[in-house]
Amino acid sequence: MTLVPAAPEAAAAPVFGLHPTDLDAALHGLFAALAGRGEALLEDVALVPVRFGRLRLFMAGQRVARADLVIHQLKPRSAQADVQLFDAADRLVAQLD
């Protein structure tokens, strides 16, 4: 999944170790996988991440340009995946597992 960077003025907002909108955008890949399975629940239920096993941050403050998701389990109301986040130069920014 390729993420579109924010406008320069938006990117000048407060500094985060990992920008929350970058992580949010990456997790949308799970919703796309559910939609690809034809899950009808997507229209009636809000899906919210409730737990991450581990977050490793390799490049604090670096904006994310691409996310790779490895989905281990996909159910109508839950998912388990590993997520790797990369910057525009394809360097690993963060990893969630």
Side-chain angles (χ1 to χ4, degrees), residues 5-83:
E9 60 276 1
V15 177
F16 296 93
L18 177 59
H19 201 285
T21 59
D22 291 347
L23 180 56
D24 179 66
L27 294 176
H28 283 221
L30 293 173
F31 304 141
L34 283 169
R37 289 181 19 170
E39 299 293 345
L41 284 175
L42 288 179
E43 296 178 15
D44 302 327
V45 175
L47 301 175
V48 179
V50 294
R51 184 175 75 83
F52 298 112
R54 175 174 53 177
L55 168 64
R56 291 186 284 174
L57 185 59
F58 302 105
M59 298 178 69
Q62 187 68 24
R63 294 304 303 260
V64 173
R66 180 173 67 85
D68 288 349
L69 285 80
V70 176
I71 300 171
H72 300 288
Q73 184 179 66
L74 192 60
K75 296 181 180 180
R77 296 185 56 91
S78 68
Q80 182 181 8
D82 293 335
V83 181

